[in-house]
Amino acid sequence: MFERFTQQARQSVISAQEEARTLEATQILPVHVLLGAVAAAESSDSRLASVLAGSGLTSARLRAHLRAMGPDSGYDDAAALESIGIDLDEVRRAVDAQFGEGALEAAAGAAPRRRGLFGSLKGGHMPFSTGAKAILTNSLRESTARKDGYIGTEHLLLGILRGADPAALSLISRHVGPEELRARILGTMDAAA
């Protein structure tokens, strides 16, 4: 499948791995693929980058949300809490303001972070989570459905939307509705064809 990836789509996957490492995750999650795709689009200064920025999706915003969520945990918790009107980021800020930075993690018995900014797994292979693998499969399905002979960053983003990962959709929904984003991406692809 990777031989069908455009250079930008390959960069998206590489960026996803780098972002997962930077955020001290132990595997590449759908949210990392989302961040990698947005970052790759931004670096190319493409029409897709304009669509994403116009939709409120920038790598800086997504990265800030992910840093607040933590490495591998909290994604599902954040989505679940958000569904009942609780903003986990706001709770973390309030607890940090009241009791000092990191108080919430300390109270939960979390181990102190011993790794640097770049790494839980320095170098080497970082595995894709089941959800991240599903995105790759979905991107192939999106490409095939459109009869495109390649898989681009647009297809990866459509694969994220098709996969409906709660955490990735939560990040997207903070800025734009998933169906609206899908329509905007498809519009960009149709205009380029």
Side-chain angles (χ1 to χ4, degrees):
M1 175 183 353
F2 286 110
E3 64 274 0
R4 294 181 65 181
F5 275 48
T6 64
Q7 186 61 37
Q8 186 182 47
R10 289 176 191 202
Q11 185 57 49
S12 297
V13 174
I14 291 167
S15 293
Q17 182 173 348
E18 291 170 357
E19 295 292 350
R21 279 199 176 102
T22 299
L23 295 165
E24 298 183 341
T26 57
Q27 61 182 338
I28 300 168
L29 299 169
V31 291
H32 300 128
V33 178
L34 172 62
L35 179 53
V38 171
E42 288 172 344
S43 71
S44 71
D45 196 32
S46 64
R47 292 176 71 180
L48 177 60
S50 296
V51 166
L52 294 171
S55 300
L57 296 172
T58 66
S59 59
R61 284 183 181 158
L62 294 175
R63 197 173 290 116
H65 292 309
L66 290 175
R67 283 185 189 276
M69 290 177 167
D72 285 322
S73 62
Y75 298 118
D76 292 333
D77 293 342
L81 289 171
E82 187 172 320
S83 73
I84 59 170
I86 298 172
D87 183 347
L88 185 56
D89 294 338
E90 187 58 38
V91 170
R92 287 183 193 278
R93 280 190 290 276
V95 170
D96 285 351
Q98 183 71 29
F99 301 104
E101 190 168 337
L104 187 62
E105 287 80 12
R113 293 190 178 188
R114 288 174 269 142
R115 295 169 270 185
L117 182 62
F118 289 97
S120 59
L121 300 173
K122 296 186 186 213
H125 173 72
M126 178 174 281
F128 283 87
S129 69
T130 303
K133 289 177 188 176
I135 290 169
L136 301 178
T137 301
N138 288 339
S139 67
L140 175 62
R141 288 184 178 132
E142 293 288 343
S143 174
T144 302
R146 291 183 47 84
K147 297 180 175 46
D148 293 332
Y150 64 93
I151 298 171
T153 303
E154 299 88 346
H155 297 104
L156 285 172
L157 290 164
L158 293 172
I160 291 167
L161 294 168
R162 179 186 269 214
D165 175 73
L169 289 182
S170 172
L171 287 175
I172 292 167
S173 296
R174 290 172 183 241
H175 306 285
V176 63
E179 288 304 315
E180 183 179 345
L181 180 60
R182 181 176 180 78
R184 289 179 183 180
I185 292 169
L186 289 171
T188 299
M189 294 172 80
D190 291 342

